[in-house]
Amino acid sequence: MKATLAPSSLTFLPQSNPTCSFRSSPPSLGSLRPSSASMTTATARGSVAVTAAATSLRQGIAEFYNETSALWEEIWGDHMHHGFYDPNSPLQLSDSGHREAQIRMIEESLLFAGVTTEEQRIKRVVDVGCGIGGSSRYLASKFGAECIGITLSPLQAKRANDLAAAQSLSHQVSFQVADALEQPFEDGKFDLVWSMESGEHMPDKAKFVKELVRVAAPGGRIIIVTWCHRNLSQGEEALQPWEQNLLDRICKTFYLPAWCSTSDYVNLLQSLSLQDIKCADWSENVAPFWPAVIRTALTWKGLLSLLRSGMKSIKGALTMPLMIEGYKKGVIKFGIITCRKPL
Ligand code: SAH
């Protein structure tokens, strides 16, 4: 798909200008971690609490997606991520229009990262936080590549494998339950490391990024598309209490730990000496997405499916307006961060 829209104006190349357009000071790696799940706790008692918090988060994420994925697939198909839209275009999109927008999100992300079919042969892809494998199957078909997807949800892994079999892609694509923070892969295995809307679930962003870098092949690309909070201003230590409160309410329902900003991700990648680091704020491009999801939830079919699906889905639906509020008030940013591992 040809992109018709340049990524929005927050694009920059931090390698050549380390301060870029960020106004926040670089965080220490530790400061990216949620206080409740900090991995740097010194005492033994503290580290037991950390492990327990991380385990309970992992379990919560697995249960959330076990319960909600079938509903999402029934109504929205196999891509569990935002669509990419032209801001200011007329918005009476049909269902297929939203699906195209979700595929466009994949294409725009590849384009932004400079991954083209001609540029470099992509032979192996890892889809970190794969959902039911929509991106994996798409990327495997596009590049003729092998793709492995990992998720915390056993139901998602099974459904993703079943869909791959139904599409005669089992020889190329496979899915398993594994933790993104401890990936079961050798170093340097993948030409493309893909994380589409899974980073927000990671309790230790530094460890997450390190794992993405570890499994990337020399010269390989890493693409992180994720929910972030706004960049902090110079001198600002934290979000405003009302902003934090809004995010906390979203965290509870969607099983998210503390959020970070796109500039936090860039700083992490810089600290690991990655190349071609780029990021952009695509919040405007995804603005129509949540209103559209809410509209489908409010149809008879949507309401019945929600009731059948269970409490986690219902709570999720009730939290959607907070996402819209977060974007509108500029607290939530939809970020893309990409880079290349040095040869
Ligand atoms: N990337 C997919 C799904 C996004 S939903 C898509 O675009 O369709 C978020 C996904 O992240 C879920 O599959 C969830 O299981 C996964 N996830 C969250 N935390 C994870 C972790 N620590 N390890 C592996 N997968 C994780």
Side-chain angles (χ1 to χ4, degrees), residues 58 61 65 78-81 127-135 150-153 156 178-181 194-198 201-203:
R58 271 200 305 272
I61 293 169
Y65 286 106
D78 62 346
H79 294 290
M80 304 180 74
H81 58 247
D127 184 355
V128 178
C130 61
I132 56 170
S135 295
I150 58 173
T151 167
L152 291 179
S153 154
Q156 283 191 328
D179 189 348
L181 302 184
W194 177 265
S195 166
M196 174 61 70
E197 296 192 39
S198 64
H201 284 296
M202 306 299 163

Side-chain angles (χ1 to χ4, degrees), residues 53-250:
T55 306
S56 118
L57 177 66
R58 271 200 305 272
Q59 205 174 324
I61 293 169
E63 285 166 7
F64 176 75
Y65 286 106
N66 281 346
E67 182 179 309
T68 58
S69 295
L71 167 66
W72 185 270
E73 185 186 354
E74 184 188 334
I75 297 187
W76 275 76
D78 62 346
H79 294 290
M80 304 180 74
H81 58 247
H82 286 66
F84 186 103
Y85 306 82
D86 288 320
N88 310 320
S89 67
L91 272 178
Q92 293 307 319
L93 283 180
S94 62
D95 290 356
S96 68
H98 290 298
R99 187 177 164 77
E100 276 163 29
Q102 288 178 309
I103 290 172
R104 182 168 171 198
M105 174 60 72
I106 299 176
E107 287 292 344
E108 294 284 349
S109 302
L110 293 170
L111 193 73
F112 183 76
V115 178
T116 62
T117 34
E118 300 87 44
E119 182 245 9
Q120 182 197 359
R121 176 107 169 76
I122 303 283
K123 290 192 284 281
R124 278 194 283 265
V125 180
V126 63
D127 184 355
V128 178
C130 61
I132 56 170
S135 295
S136 301
R137 287 183 297 275
Y138 186 85
L139 294 169
S141 302
K142 180 181 175 80
F143 293 112
E146 262 176 54
C147 185
I148 305 179
I150 58 173
T151 167
L152 291 179
S153 154
L155 254 75
Q156 283 191 328
K158 180 174 182 326
R159 181 65 185 146
N161 279 320
D162 288 349
L163 287 170
Q167 293 169 24
S168 308
L169 281 171
S170 295
H171 60 293
Q172 252 176 291
V173 191
S174 67
F175 301 93
Q176 56 187 272
V177 173
D179 189 348
L181 302 184
E182 283 172 35
Q183 297 182 30
F185 308 121
E186 69 258 28
D187 297 359
K189 186 175 164 90
F190 299 102
D191 308 305
L192 176 60
V193 176
W194 177 265
S195 166
M196 174 61 70
E197 296 192 39
S198 64
E200 54 271 27
H201 284 296
M202 306 299 163
D204 185 336
K205 307 296 186 211
K207 199 167 175 197
F208 169 54
V209 166
K210 253 180 145 172
E211 271 298 87
L212 301 182
V213 174
R214 183 184 68 75
V215 300
R221 302 284 186 149
I222 299 171
I223 300 181
I224 303 167
V225 180
T226 187
W227 308 1
C228 290
H229 67 61
R230 67 173 174 83
N231 290 330
L232 298 182
S233 314
Q234 197 131 40
E236 217 183 3
E237 298 265 303
L239 294 173
Q240 300 295 312
W242 70 265
E243 294 176 311
Q244 192 53 55
N245 187 275
L246 178 69
L247 297 187
D248 288 348
R249 288 161 68 201
I250 294 171

